[in-house]
C-alpha cells in the first residue's frame, strides 16, 4: 500500500475531507516559522561585517548619528523594509504615537508591526484549529468559515493598535494630573535661584516616585539639553511627545518668556495658578457628571425589585382567582 495514501486516509478519518489540506497548511506554517527563526539566528557574514566597518570608518556622518544607527537591534534591522512604513510621514506619525504611549525605544515601530504580524498569524492558526480540529464534524458555508477563521486573526492583529491607543490615553491623563504639581515644584526651584534647566532636572528627580510618566518626560528634556540641543526645539518636542494641551501651552509660554526677556518665575507663577484652577474645575466637572452616570445604574438596580415587591402579590392573587 502506498504510504502517502495511508497517511491521507488517516487524515481524512481524523480531520474530515479537508484533513490533507489542513495538514499541508500546518506544515507550511511550521516551515515559515522555522525559516524566520533560522534567519534571525543566522550569524552575520564576515565579509559584510568588514564592509560595514569600512563604511563606518569612511562615513562622514556625525558621531551622534552613527551611534544612533549602531544602537538598533541587528535582528530587526534585517526586516526593516518589512516592519517599517516606507512612507516618511506614516513612519513619523507611528513613532510619535508610540512615544506618546511611553515607548521610547528606537525599535518601537518595528516591534509594533512585528507584534501585529505575529498575533495575526496566531489568530489565523487558532481559527483553523477551531474549525478543522475542534469542530471537524460540522460544515460551514463560506461566510461562517471566513468569520471563524479570519475573525480571530483580524482581532489579534488589531490588538496592539488598541493597546497603544489605550496607553496613550492613560498616559495623557496621568501627565495632565501630574502637571500642576510639577509646575509648583518648578516655580519653587526657579524662585530659589536655579535656572530652568536645573529646575527641570530637579523636578524630574523629585517626581520619580509619585508621577513616573511626568518624571520621564522631564528627564528626556534634561538629557537633550545636556546633549546640546536647542532649548526651544527641546521644549516643542516635549509638547508634541506628551500630546497634552496644557503642556503645549506651557511650552509656548516658556518660549515667549525667553524671547521677550520677561521673568520666567513670574510666568511660572501665573501659569501654575491657572493650572491649579483648571484641576479644580476638572474635579468639579467629574463630580457633576457622577449623578447622571449613577441614574441608569440606580434605576436598573432599584426599580425591578420594587416592581416585584409591589406588583408580585397582586399578580399572584389574580392568578389564583383565575384558577
Amino acid at each position: 500500500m502506498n504510504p502517502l495514501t495511508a497517511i491521507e486516509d488517516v487524515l481524512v478519518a481524523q480531520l474530515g475531507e479537508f484533513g490533507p489540506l489542513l495538514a499541508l497548511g500546518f506544515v507550511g506554517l511550521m516551515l515559515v516559522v522555522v525559516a524566520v527563526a533560522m534567519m534571525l539566528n543566522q550569524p552575520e557574514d564576515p565579509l559584510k561585517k568588514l564592509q560595514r566597518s569600512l563604511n563606518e570608518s569612511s562615513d562622514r556622518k556625525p558621531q551622534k548619528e552613527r551611534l544612533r544607527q549602531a544602537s538598533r537591534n541587528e535582528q530587526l534591522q534585517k526586516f526593516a523594509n518589512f516592519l517599517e512604513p516606507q512612507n516618511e510621514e506614516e513612519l513619523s506619525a507611528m513613532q510619535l504615537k508610540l512615544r506618546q504611549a511611553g515607548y521610547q525605544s528606537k525599535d518601537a515601530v518595528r516591534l509594533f508591526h512585528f507584534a501585529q504580524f505575529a498575533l495575526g498569524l496566531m489568530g489565523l492558526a487558532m481559527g483553523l484549529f477551531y474549525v478543522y480540529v475542534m469542530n471537524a464534524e460540522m460544515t460551514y458555508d463560506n461566510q461562517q468559515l471566513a468569520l471563524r477563521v479570519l475573525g480571530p486573526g483580524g482581532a489579534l492583529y488589531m490588538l496592539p493598535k488598541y493597546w497603544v491607543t489605550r496607553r496613550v490615553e492613560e498616559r495623557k491623563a496621568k501627565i495632565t494630573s501630574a502637571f500642576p504639581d510639577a509646575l509648583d515644584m518648578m516655580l519653587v526651584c526657579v524662585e530659589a535661584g536655579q535656572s530652568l534647566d536645573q529646575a527641570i532636572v530637579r523636578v524630574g528627580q523629585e517626581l520619580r516616585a509619585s508621577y513616573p510618566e511626568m518624571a520621564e518626560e522631564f528627564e528626556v528634556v534634561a538629557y537633550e539639553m545636556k546633549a546640546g540641543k536647542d532649548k526651544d526645539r527641546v521644549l516643542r518636542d516635549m509638547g508634541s511627545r506628551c500630546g497634552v494641551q496644557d503642556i503645549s501651552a506651557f511650552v509656548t509660554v516658556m518660549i515667549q518668556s525667553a524671547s521677550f526677556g520677561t521673568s520666567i518665575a513670574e510666568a511660572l507663577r501665573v501659569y501654575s495658578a491657572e493650572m491649579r484652577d483648571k484641576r479644580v474645575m476638572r474635579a468639579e466637572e467629574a463630580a457633576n457628571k457622577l449623578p447622571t452616570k449613577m441614574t441608569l445604574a440606580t434605576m436598573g438596580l432599584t426599580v425591578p425589585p420594587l416592581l416585584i415587591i409591589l406588583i408580585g402579590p397582586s399578580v399572584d392573587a389574580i392568578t389564583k382567582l383565575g384558577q
Side-chain angles (χ1 to χ4, degrees):
M1 185 177 179
N2 191 352
L4 296 179
T5 305
I7 295 175
E8 182 179 0
D9 294 337
V10 172
L11 292 175
V12 170
Q14 295 293 329
L15 303 177
E17 296 181 357
F18 293 97
L21 182 60
L22 178 61
L24 289 176
F26 180 76
V27 171
L29 181 62
M30 293 302 298
L31 290 176
V32 171
V33 172
V34 172
V36 171
M38 292 178 63
M39 292 179 65
L40 291 176
N41 295 326
Q42 184 179 4
E44 186 177 5
D45 189 358
L47 294 178
K48 291 183 179 179
K49 185 176 181 180
L50 179 60
Q51 183 67 29
R52 191 181 74 247
S53 63
L54 292 176
N55 292 335
E56 288 179 355
S57 61
S58 61
D59 194 4
R60 294 183 179 179
K61 289 183 178 180
Q63 182 70 16
K64 180 173 65 174
E65 183 68 21
R66 292 203 300 270
L67 290 175
R68 184 182 295 116
Q69 296 297 332
S71 62
R72 285 183 174 271
N73 192 315
E74 292 295 335
Q75 295 180 347
L76 293 176
Q77 182 69 26
K78 301 176 184 178
F79 303 95
N81 294 331
F82 178 71
L83 296 177
E84 283 186 355
Q86 300 304 309
N87 190 345
E88 188 67 25
E89 295 181 358
E90 295 180 2
L91 179 61
S92 300
M94 181 56 64
Q95 288 177 342
L96 177 60
K97 187 171 184 180
L98 290 174
R99 286 172 183 169
Q100 289 178 351
Y103 301 109
Q104 307 291 342
S105 173
K106 298 180 180 63
D107 294 319
V109 177
R110 299 177 183 177
L111 291 173
F112 173 78
H113 289 288
F114 177 76
Q116 281 191 319
F117 176 73
L119 289 176
L121 288 180
M122 188 183 302
L124 291 176
M126 292 171 57
L128 291 172
F129 181 80
Y130 174 79
V131 171
Y132 293 110
V133 177
M134 297 181 63
N135 296 322
E137 68 280 358
M138 297 183 63
T139 58
Y140 302 101
D141 56 19
N142 294 332
Q143 183 177 1
Q144 294 175 344
L145 187 63
L147 181 62
R148 285 165 174 78
V149 174
L150 299 179
L156 290 182
Y157 180 81
M158 297 301 296
L159 182 61
K161 186 175 182 180
Y162 171 76
W163 172 262
V164 170
T165 303
R166 287 291 304 273
R167 284 271 301 175
V168 169
E169 297 301 326
E170 292 177 359
R171 196 166 185 271
K172 285 183 180 180
K174 292 179 180 178
I175 290 176
T176 302
S177 176
F179 190 56
D181 294 337
L183 280 180
D184 291 338
M185 295 179 65
M186 193 179 300
L187 176 61
V188 172
C189 293
V190 171
E191 289 183 341
Q194 292 184 342
S195 64
L196 182 62
D197 302 353
Q198 295 172 340
I200 289 175
V201 174
R202 184 57 185 270
V203 171
Q205 295 174 353
E206 295 295 333
L207 291 178
R208 171 57 60 183
S210 55
Y211 302 110
E213 292 81 10
M214 193 77 254
E216 181 181 355
E217 293 297 331
F218 279 138
E219 288 177 358
V220 172
V221 171
Y223 289 143
E224 289 182 346
M225 287 183 177
K226 289 180 181 178
K229 195 173 180 180
D230 185 66
K231 184 183 296 185
D232 294 351
R233 183 71 264 172
V234 171
L235 293 176
R236 292 186 188 277
D237 289 344
M238 184 185 71
S240 300
R241 193 169 53 246
C242 294
V244 178
Q245 184 64 31
D246 295 341
I247 294 183
S248 299
F250 164 75
V251 169
T252 303
V253 169
M254 290 295 99
I255 292 176
Q256 290 179 352
S257 178
S259 299
F260 295 113
T262 58
S263 173
I264 295 179
E266 185 65 27
L268 282 174
R269 185 180 298 108
V270 174
Y271 199 74
S272 62
E274 183 180 351
M275 288 297 102
R276 286 195 297 270
D277 293 340
K278 288 187 68 174
R279 181 166 61 180
V280 173
M281 292 173 61
R282 283 194 293 266
E284 292 177 350
E285 181 182 359
N288 293 330
K289 289 180 180 179
L290 189 60
T292 305
K293 293 180 179 179
M294 292 181 62
T295 300
L296 294 177
T298 303
M299 293 180 62
L301 295 175
T302 59
V303 173
L306 183 62
L307 291 177
I308 293 174
I309 294 173
L310 295 177
I311 303 176
S314 302
V315 172
D316 183 64
I318 292 173
T319 304
K320 290 181 179 179
L321 291 175
Q323 294 177 353

